[in-house]
Amino acid sequence: MAYRTRVTVLALLDSSIVLTAIYISFLTLHPDLSIFKMPTLLLTSITLLLSHHLFAFIYKLYNKAWEYASVGEVKSIVKAVTFSIGTTMAMQLIVFYDVYFRALMIAWMLHVILIGGSRFSWRIFRDRYIVSQKQMKRTLIIGAGAAGTMVARQLLNNHDTELKPVAFIDDDPKKYKLDILGLPVVGNVKHIAKTVETLQIDKIVIAIPSLSRKELKRVYDECAKTTAKTQIMPMIEDIMLGKVSVNHFRDVQVEDLLGREPVELDIAGISEYVSGKTVLVTGAGGSIGSEICRQICKFSPSKLVLVGHGENSIYGIDMELRNTYSGLIEIVPVIGDVQDRERMFEVMETHRPYVVYHAAAHKHVPLMEYNPREAVKNNVFGTKNAADAADMFGVSTFVMISTDKAVNPTNVMGSTKRIAEMVIQQLDRVSKTKFVAVRFGNVLGSRGSVIPLFKQQIQAGGPVTVTHEEMTRYFMTIPEASRLVIQAGSLARGGEIFVLDMGEPVKIVDLARNLITLSGYSVDEIGIEFSGLRPGEKMYEELLNEKEIHPEPVFPKIFIGKAVLEQEDEVEYLLRHFESFTPDEVSGFVINLANRRGNRIYSLVGNQ
């Protein structure tokens, strides 16, 4: 309906209601209107009519979308009617020196009832005959607190949504069997499966922003027992900042189910050693390297040098950061391979970074079993090249990214990362540069990780392949891994190995099941197959061995492991004689060296 037409119709409707109401009010009190002079009734009617339209304009009664009317609109009607009656009383007092109080009170009640009824009748008609014909999804809200109530109110008032809230679930026994906004609280988390079946629920919304990851996993595990799609409300901060609305629900992510709260940063400490400085990141185009760059930019370095050998990946992160920080940070893309020693020295000399984050590495375990020489060249020699260059040109702090697979390694990749740790530990003893390493487990969503593989298999219709039913791994998100690396730099004193408290290890098969259900399928639909351990794989990973453990954290959720350095001569031997090793000799040598079997390793290679 056009705006002018809408206003005209409502104004004419209100005019008829006002005139009818004043006439009925006078007639109710005095059936014989002859005792009143006609000027009295006429003046009262004109004053009430004009004042009503005035206050209707002030309180925007003609501008409201009455199909969405609620308590706020009722308040506007009451205010407009009250002030118009008050104005009429004042006019009667001025002209007639008297007020027909009872008649005007009856008129006030008739106005509120008839004007309100005329407006809300359209909403009732719309709810019953228009909205009810849409295919609505019956929705169960987990959490009957402030956030859950906010979600329910938004869904009830937003008739453009396809979600229809029907009940709450809440663990607070005091709320059980209460009605909130007309919706019953039907039980606690243990009743989710039964409630979904009984009330024919199509969708579940988790609306408890304060829920810890451990508790969220408990709730989700109950939701996963049903066929209803489960989503979660946005973060309260995003709602308050206007980034999203209350009903912009998102899917539950695997990261939400890790059962561990994300690590918080020491903002002041990081800012002190990063802000206004030149920072260099090797492997800047990779999953971890690129996220380190994003996180570092939040602390306003003067220059960020992006080093990587893949031009497409470096181009991608370069353009992304330029679009966000153009004019604020000098961003320099550098194409270079850490295996190229001269190039590393050239880059360090040119840019003279204050901090270096070394993220360039080969990390795929089975692939490195087939290519041990490349693993040594990139992970060991590449690290030594970057570290020597950092030492030569006065870098303050060098942070190397390591892995939990460097602990008691059974594969080439983990062994080369442990030897890389040894290389920087040796250098830390003689250099003014502080060399440290950071260990963490598997990174969710990084290139070559299990999550993208599982997603591809699910999209293809399954089955999802898991190596062993009992295999466990530590997991963290890419932002968490990057924050740990950045935080380690601010805590570095030299020679440390920093480890994140990653909570309990996760069974890979449980991860697969969660990802299947999060994708909207059942495990029976997709299927899970066990393929057996691949070359170099372990059933479980460790973050520190018994000789390295320091029980007290140096920062919330961050521990230091002072790894024992026993094989300096053997590391030097590997660096000097590597080119004469056969691939099989490389594999045996690095695995034994990483596990500190110093008396045996020389026998694993030919006569040197």
Side-chain angles (χ1 to χ4, degrees):
M1 186 184 294
Y3 174 74
R4 289 185 179 180
T5 304
R6 175 191 180 89
V7 171
T8 301
V9 169
L10 290 175
L12 290 174
L13 177 63
D14 283 6
S15 297
S16 63
I17 289 173
V18 169
L19 295 175
T20 302
I22 195 64
Y23 179 80
I24 292 174
S25 64
F26 274 75
L27 189 64
T28 300
L29 292 174
H30 301 282
D32 184 6
L33 284 177
S34 61
I35 67 173
F36 290 95
K37 296 177 182 180
M38 282 306 295
T40 303
L41 182 58
L42 183 62
L43 181 63
T44 300
S45 298
I46 292 174
T47 303
L48 189 56
L49 183 63
L50 293 177
S51 60
H52 172 80
H53 287 308
L54 172 64
F55 289 108
F57 174 77
I58 292 173
Y59 290 104
K60 300 181 179 181
L61 297 190
Y62 303 144
N63 298 85
K64 295 185 181 296
W66 292 100
E67 58 268 34
Y68 305 117
S70 62
V71 175
E73 282 68 27
V74 173
K75 290 180 179 178
S76 297
I77 292 173
V78 171
K79 289 177 181 178
V81 171
T82 300
F83 283 115
S84 63
I85 292 293
T87 303
T88 304
M89 286 182 177
M91 181 62 72
Q92 286 181 347
L93 186 63
I94 292 170
V95 176
F96 304 116
Y97 303 103
D98 193 11
V99 175
Y100 299 96
F101 187 79
R102 287 188 296 170
L104 291 177
M105 286 300 96
I106 293 173
W108 181 90
M109 287 187 291
L110 290 173
H111 283 182
V112 172
I113 294 170
L114 295 176
I115 293 173
S118 66
R119 302 303 198 268
F120 281 86
S121 60
W122 171 239
R123 173 174 175 172
I124 293 171
F125 173 80
R126 187 179 188 278
D127 288 353
R128 177 167 296 183
Y129 297 105
I130 298 178
V131 176
S132 62
Q133 293 177 7
K134 294 169 60 178
Q135 188 66 32
M136 304 293 287
K137 292 184 178 180
R138 296 172 63 81
T139 303
L140 178 67
I141 299 174
I142 310 296
T149 303
M150 183 167 56
V151 168
R153 181 179 288 110
Q154 179 76 6
L155 294 179
L156 289 169
N157 293 335
N158 183 5
H159 297 295
D160 292 327
T161 182
E162 61 177 4
L163 304 183
K164 178 184 178 182
V166 296
F168 288 102
I169 286 286
D170 198 286
D171 276 339
D172 186 352
K174 296 179 182 177
K175 295 178 181 177
Y176 186 48
K177 293 188 177 180
L178 291 180
D179 267 23
I180 301 175
L181 300 177
L183 307 177
V185 181
V186 295
N188 57 36
V189 171
K190 294 180 180 179
H191 299 134
I192 289 176
K194 182 179 179 181
T195 301
V196 168
E197 181 180 359
T198 303
L199 299 182
Q200 298 180 326
I201 298 297
D202 301 304
K203 190 166 186 175
I204 300 172
V205 174
I206 301 174
I208 313 177
S210 61
L211 210 59
S212 68
R213 283 186 171 178
K214 185 176 182 179
E215 285 298 305
L216 176 59
K217 186 177 187 308
R218 181 178 71 89
V219 172
Y220 180 79
D221 287 344
E222 292 297 321
C223 296
K225 297 175 183 178
T226 73
T227 57
K229 181 175 177 58
T230 302
Q231 289 191 304
I232 191 168
M233 72 174 292
M235 294 174 60
I236 290 293
E237 307 91 89
D238 291 339
I239 297 172
M240 298 302 292
L241 293 173
K243 295 180 181 179
V244 294
S245 64
V246 174
N247 60 336
H248 281 183
F249 308 119
R250 66 174 178 85
D251 291 340
V252 180
Q253 304 294 327
V254 174
E255 294 92 323
D256 297 322
L257 307 178
L258 285 180
R260 185 190 70 256
E261 299 306 308
V263 63
E264 298 295 331
L265 296 179
D266 173 16
I267 304 299
I270 294 173
S271 297
E272 185 177 344
Y273 94 106
V274 170
S275 297
K277 306 294 198 311
T278 296
V279 179
L280 184 147
V281 181
T282 69
S287 305
I288 300 297
S290 60
E291 183 62 24
I292 290 174
C293 294
R294 296 184 190 97
Q295 299 279 348
I296 283 293
C297 283
K298 297 177 182 178
F299 298 97
S300 303
S302 61
K303 182 196 290 188
L304 180 60
V305 184
L306 315 174
V307 179
H309 71 276
E311 62 172 348
N312 289 332
S313 58
I314 292 296
Y315 173 79
I317 187 62
D318 177 44
M319 294 306 297
E320 176 188 332
L321 297 179
R322 286 179 187 275
N323 289 337
T324 307
Y325 299 99
S326 178
L328 302 174
I329 302 171
E330 181 184 356
I331 298 172
V332 183
V334 173
I335 303 301
D337 194 328
V338 292
Q339 296 183 42
D340 186 339
R341 186 174 178 85
E342 291 184 6
R343 179 59 170 154
M344 287 300 100
F345 275 72
E346 177 187 328
V347 171
M348 295 286 182
E349 182 179 20
T350 301
H351 299 286
R352 301 291 176 124
Y354 184 78
V355 182
V356 171
Y357 296 99
H358 178 52
H362 287 327
K363 62 180 184 179
H364 198 278
V365 172
L367 201 58
M368 291 305 100
E369 290 300 301
Y370 294 111
N371 299 275
R373 293 183 62 84
E374 295 305 311
V376 173
K377 286 161 61 177
N378 205 53
N379 294 354
V380 178
F381 282 91
T383 297
K384 181 170 176 54
N385 293 339
D388 284 344
D391 171 51
M392 173 68 73
F393 296 105
V395 171
S396 174
T397 306
F398 183 99
V399 183
M400 170 201 154
I401 295 177
S402 190
T403 171
D404 57 357
K405 295 173 179 61
V407 183
N408 299 324
T410 59
N411 54 67
V412 170
M413 194 284 283
S415 298
T416 56
K417 294 298 284 184
R418 174 61 194 128
I419 296 171
E421 291 177 356
M422 295 178 184
V423 168
I424 65 168
Q425 284 181 302
Q426 289 180 9
L427 199 53
D428 181 75
R429 293 181 175 182
V430 298
S431 174
K432 293 181 179 180
T433 299
K434 292 177 288 188
F435 289 92
V436 298
V438 183
R439 282 182 192 165
F440 44 76
N442 294 268
V443 179
L444 292 171
S446 64
R447 296 170 197 168
S449 71
V450 71
I451 299 297
L453 173 62
F454 284 174
K455 287 182 176 179
Q456 291 175 5
Q457 292 174 335
I458 292 169
Q459 289 172 359
V464 172
T465 56
V466 177
T467 51
H468 194 282
E469 190 171 5
E470 297 301 320
M471 176 176 279
T472 62
R473 289 291 184 269
Y474 291 100
F475 283 98
M476 64 192 311
T477 66
I478 293 176
E480 279 182 301
S482 303
R483 290 170 192 154
L484 174 62
V485 172
I486 295 169
Q487 187 68 69
S490 69
L491 299 172
R493 297 295 178 267
E496 300 98 338
I497 292 180
F498 292 92
V499 179
L500 175 65
D501 176 7
M502 302 185 67
E504 295 299 319
V506 177
K507 278 191 175 183
I508 302 298
V509 68
D510 290 342
L511 189 67
R513 291 190 184 109
N514 282 334
L515 200 58
I516 290 170
T517 55
L518 289 172
S519 301
Y521 301 96
S522 70
V523 175
D524 291 338
E525 288 179 282
I526 299 299
I528 296 176
E529 288 186 358
F530 298 102
S531 58
L533 293 177
R534 297 176 297 178
E537 283 192 319
K538 297 164 67 175
M539 285 290 291
Y540 62 93
E541 301 290 1
E542 306 159 274
L543 292 169
L544 291 168
N545 67 32
E546 65 278 1
K547 295 182 180 180
E548 299 175 333
I549 296 174
H550 286 201
E552 296 299 322
V554 294
F555 188 82
K557 299 185 182 295
I558 298 179
F559 291 81
I560 285 183
K562 196 76 175 183
V564 180
L565 181 58
E566 298 174 343
Q567 313 293 354
E568 292 186 64
D569 292 341
E570 287 78 5
V571 172
E572 291 296 329
Y573 185 88
L574 172 66
L575 296 174
R576 288 197 309 269
H577 299 284
F578 170 73
E579 292 299 330
S580 61
F581 286 12
T582 67
D584 288 341
E585 289 172 341
V586 169
S587 297
F589 192 97
V590 296
I591 290 174
N592 280 276
L593 173 56
N595 285 283
R596 305 187 185 96
R597 302 184 187 118
N599 296 329
R600 299 172 51 203
I601 60 176
Y602 289 110
S603 63
L604 297 173
V605 298
N607 297 323
Q608 304 295 340

